[in-house]
């Protein structure tokens, strides 16, 4: 990924044929928390800077609820859910994170994009897998042409959870035989990769950030575990160029 500064925001960007994706950082203490005036203002600034007609997001509730955005809709925190799918042009879709896993999905052949918020609950409920299944069923996407970006999140090095949660994951049929943990340190990324493998997604089509939101030293990132209720939010987005 490349770093660029846009309207005082530092953004980690990636381009792939028809789409552009980005992750805002905590540079200049930029906060995209949608339920604050600052966050809403920053979302508007980002939309204007990228010269895109509309920006859509959800009130995230740690669910497996998937919302499809139509051409004439502008969705915001009045709609609950944790995954957005659209084929609309001039539309940014994105999700907010401060440790949870942001996942962007696209099929350039069918011109469909998705943005997914996958915390431990969403990951356990296979929200990434379910999002791709909707893309295949409703938009005729094919596993072979789907690409994935797994963004900065709290990685296994720092994500210590309870033994009960580890047991919960290991009892899930997807993860029974998979190496998803090191003791009480859980890898949400590996869990998501298992979901992708189940659907036949090509490993070469998976792009992964190596940054951990808690211990990353070179790039300033928001982390709920580090800053608690005072933590800001990053916005991970995708749109058609």
């Amino acid at each position: 990924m490349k770093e660029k500064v846009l309207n005082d925001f530092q953004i980690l960007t990636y381009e792939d044929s028809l789409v552009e994706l980005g992750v805002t950082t905590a540079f200049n203490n930029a906060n995209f928390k949608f339920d604050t005036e600052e966050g809403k203002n920053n979302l508007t600034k980002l939309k204007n800077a990228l010269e895109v007609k509309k920006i859509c997001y959800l009130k995230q509730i740690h669910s497996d609820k998937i919302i499809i955005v139509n051409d004439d809709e502008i969705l915001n925190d009045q709609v609950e859910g944790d995954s957005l799918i659209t084929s609309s042009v001039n539309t940014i879709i994105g999700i907010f994170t401060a440790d949870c896993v942001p996942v962007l999905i696209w099929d350039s052949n069918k011109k469909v994009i998705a943005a997914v918020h996958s915390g431990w609950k969403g990951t356990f409920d296979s929200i990434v897998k379910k999002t791709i299944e909707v893309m295949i069923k409703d938009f005729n996407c094919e596993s072979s042409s789907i690409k994935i970006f797994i963004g900065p999140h709290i990685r296994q090095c720092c994500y210590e959870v309870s033994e009960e949660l580890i047991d919960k994951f290991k009892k899930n049929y997807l993860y029974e035989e998979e190496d998803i943990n090191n003791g009480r340190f859980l890898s949400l990324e590996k869990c998501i990769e298992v979901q992708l493998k189940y659907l036949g997604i090509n490993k070469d089509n998976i792009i992964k950030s190596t940054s951990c939101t808690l211990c990353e030293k070179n790039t300033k990132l928001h982390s709920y575990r580090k800053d608690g209720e005072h933590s800001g939010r990053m916005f991970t987005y995708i749109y058609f160029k």
Side-chain angles (χ1 to χ4, degrees), residues 62 100 118-125 159 165 168-169 186 188:
H62 294 276
C100 293
S118 191
W120 79 256
K121 291 181 181 178
T123 302
F124 182 81
D125 289 333
Y159 193 42
L165 186 58
K168 181 181 175 76
F169 269 83
L186 177 65
L188 294 176

Side-chain angles (χ1 to χ4, degrees), residues 57-233:
Y57 55 93
L58 300 168
K59 181 180 180 180
Q60 296 168 188
I61 55 174
H62 294 276
S63 68
D64 61 351
K65 187 175 181 181
I66 300 163
I67 305 295
I68 295 175
V69 184
N70 297 317
D71 287 342
D72 57 348
E73 288 182 304
I74 299 178
L75 299 184
N76 52 35
D77 58 347
Q78 301 303 305
V79 179
E80 294 184 342
D82 289 273
S83 175
L84 282 167
I85 303 173
T86 192
S87 58
S88 297
V89 296
N90 290 317
T91 300
I92 297 172
I93 57 172
I95 47 92
F96 309 95
T97 60
D99 279 338
C100 293
V101 189
V103 181
L104 302 176
I105 308 167
W106 66 100
D107 184 333
S108 295
N109 291 340
K110 298 297 182 180
K111 298 182 180 178
V112 181
I113 55 177
V116 186
H117 166 245
S118 191
W120 79 256
K121 291 181 181 178
T123 302
F124 182 81
D125 289 333
S126 301
I127 188 169
V128 172
K129 172 177 168 289
K130 291 175 180 176
T131 298
I132 295 172
E133 288 171 338
V134 172
M135 292 172 68
I136 292 170
K137 178 178 178 290
D138 291 5
F139 294 89
N140 297 313
C141 295
E142 297 180 357
S143 296
S144 59
S145 60
I146 286 175
K147 293 187 177 181
I148 311 288
F149 169 72
I150 300 175
H153 61 280
I154 186 166
R155 297 178 64 80
Q156 186 174 19
C157 53
C158 296
Y159 193 42
E160 186 176 11
V161 300
S162 68
E163 291 181 4
E164 289 77 14
L165 186 58
I166 295 294
D167 289 341
K168 181 181 175 76
F169 269 83
K170 296 299 283 187
K171 289 176 181 176
N172 184 310
Y173 76 97
L174 283 172
Y175 313 120
E176 286 176 329
E177 306 298 326
E178 300 289 344
D179 179 22
I180 61 169
N181 67 296
N182 180 10
R184 286 175 50 188
F185 289 84
L186 177 65
S187 174
L188 294 176
E189 180 179 272
K190 289 181 182 177
C191 292
I192 291 168
E193 288 182 289
V194 170
Q195 295 175 37
L196 300 176
K197 182 174 72 172
Y198 182 89
L199 293 173
I201 303 297
N202 189 330
K203 279 186 177 182
D204 293 337
N205 286 349
I206 303 172
I207 301 146
K208 297 181 289 186
S209 166
T210 58
S211 296
C212 173
T213 46
L214 187 57
C215 69
E216 170 66 35
K217 301 299 183 185
N218 296 322
T219 303
K220 189 176 180 182
L221 303 172
H222 290 299
S223 169
Y224 186 87
R225 281 211 173 185
K226 180 171 62 181
D227 299 321
E229 294 293 337
H230 300 291
S231 174
R233 295 294 186 274

